[in-house]
Amino acid sequence: MATAAEWIEGARPRTLPNAIAPVIAGTGAAASIDGAVWWKAALALLVSLALIVGVNYANDYSDGIRGTDDERVGPLRLVGSKLASPTAVRTAAVLSLGVGAVAGLVLAVTTAWWLVLIGALCLAGAWFYTGGSKPYGYSGFGEIAVFVFFGLIAVLGTQYVQALRVDWVGLLLAVGVGAFSSAVLVANNLRDIPTDTESGKVTLAVKLGDARTRTLHLVLLAVPFVISLGLVARTPLALAGLLAIPLAIRANAPVRTGKGGLELIPALRDSGLALLAWSILSALAVGLG
């Protein structure tokens, strides 16, 4: 039986910045057009957190029953390590996704019913990333999905439910958050190239190879800071986003120096911290500017 601490670790708390940052950015974008509604922001945060925990447990379950995690190098996986049964982990995934669905339904009812369709798409994306007979995460589409779901949809959705419209500021913030979120997954998949190759999991990192994956991580980390320069058209305060550059440099350090295996775990953590810092700074800048 897994302990409470092991269940928490299995939820992969290092990925939580990927859920928190888009809501912060979307709320900042809503505030920039005088549309912030704090109770809706709180509900959007609940949706985002529930979805990312749900997708992490769903991945744990699906990878575990396929045997992908049998030789895993990285954070604890509950099924792969046989600390919890597949049924228990699947149940945790369904419950987490269910919480997100209920909170999302409240937002849809109080905003626009067509958002139910977006929510259904997000739930399907969460499950079929590694679930089903042909998981898209096994075909190199994981980074694209993260960019869309935790970048474009999460940020613009958060802005829309509050302000009832989106604008170019929200779109730029969504691209920046999506790039950072994808960088987190790139670092994760870079670490797993050897084991994923052996198990037949063809991630984008496996397709690109080690060297080009390391270059991709650097490019994705650079994109948000270019966006900070573009946001100056809304307010000079947007340059505050550049203060997150040292965190991004630290995040890329293990990648650019050729580290592998467990030595790449700090790259995941620091990519997430850079994401969170950039989102907070940028959201405050556009919201106040």
Side-chain angles (χ1 to χ4, degrees):
M1 289 289 292
T3 65
E6 287 166 339
W7 276 103
I8 292 172
E9 187 176 354
R12 303 186 71 184
R14 288 189 183 90
T15 65
L16 294 185
N18 296 62
I20 298 168
V23 177
I24 292 173
T27 300
S32 75
I33 51 178
D34 299 321
V37 180
W38 300 108
W39 69 268
K40 286 190 172 183
L43 268 182
L45 180 60
L46 177 59
V47 170
S48 192
L49 287 170
L51 286 182
I52 203 164
V53 171
V55 76
N56 286 339
Y57 281 139
N59 292 347
D60 191 309
Y61 164 75
S62 297
D63 284 344
I65 62 174
R66 282 191 172 88
T68 307
D69 288 338
D70 288 350
E71 303 296 330
R72 181 173 177 80
V73 177
L76 172 75
R77 287 297 184 101
L78 295 165
V79 175
S81 61
K82 297 180 172 54
L83 287 170
S85 70
T87 300
V89 176
R90 183 182 61 194
T91 299
V94 171
L95 288 174
S96 297
L97 295 174
V99 169
V102 171
L105 185 60
V106 173
L107 282 173
V109 169
T110 56
T111 306
W113 274 104
W114 58 264
L115 290 173
V116 173
L117 299 177
I118 302 297
L121 178 65
C122 292
L123 290 173
W127 186 260
F128 291 109
Y129 173 56
T130 55
S133 59
K134 293 184 178 180
Y136 64 85
Y138 279 54
S139 301
F141 295 107
E143 284 79 1
I144 295 174
V146 165
F147 181 84
V148 171
F149 289 116
F150 287 100
L152 300 182
I153 291 178
V155 175
L156 293 176
T158 299
Q159 184 183 23
Y160 183 82
V161 297
Q162 296 180 66
L164 301 182
R165 66 185 179 95
V166 299
D167 68 347
W168 66 271
V169 170
L171 179 59
L172 286 185
L173 288 172
V175 171
V177 169
F180 263 130
S181 293
S182 295
V184 175
L185 183 57
V186 166
N188 179 80
N189 289 343
L190 172 64
R191 181 200 64 211
D192 292 341
I193 285 177
T195 54
D196 284 345
T197 301
E198 184 176 341
S199 64
K201 184 176 182 179
V202 186
T203 63
L204 181 60
V206 171
K207 288 184 175 183
L208 292 176
D210 187 275
R212 286 188 290 180
T213 300
R214 292 177 190 273
T215 299
L216 177 60
H217 186 259
L218 176 61
V219 171
L220 289 170
L221 289 179
V223 167
F225 301 109
V226 175
I227 286 173
S228 291
L229 299 178
L231 287 170
V232 170
R234 171 57 62 86
T235 171
L237 294 176
L239 292 175
L242 300 180
L243 294 175
I245 287 177
L247 285 173
I249 292 173
R250 189 174 75 177
N252 185 246
V255 177
R256 68 175 179 270
T257 54
K259 297 293 192 296
L262 293 174
E263 291 180 311
L264 281 170
I265 291 179
L268 278 75
R269 178 199 64 211
D270 293 338
S271 294
L273 291 176
L275 159 64
L276 192 57
W278 182 84
S279 299
I280 292 171
L281 292 166
S282 300
L284 286 172
V286 300
L288 296 174

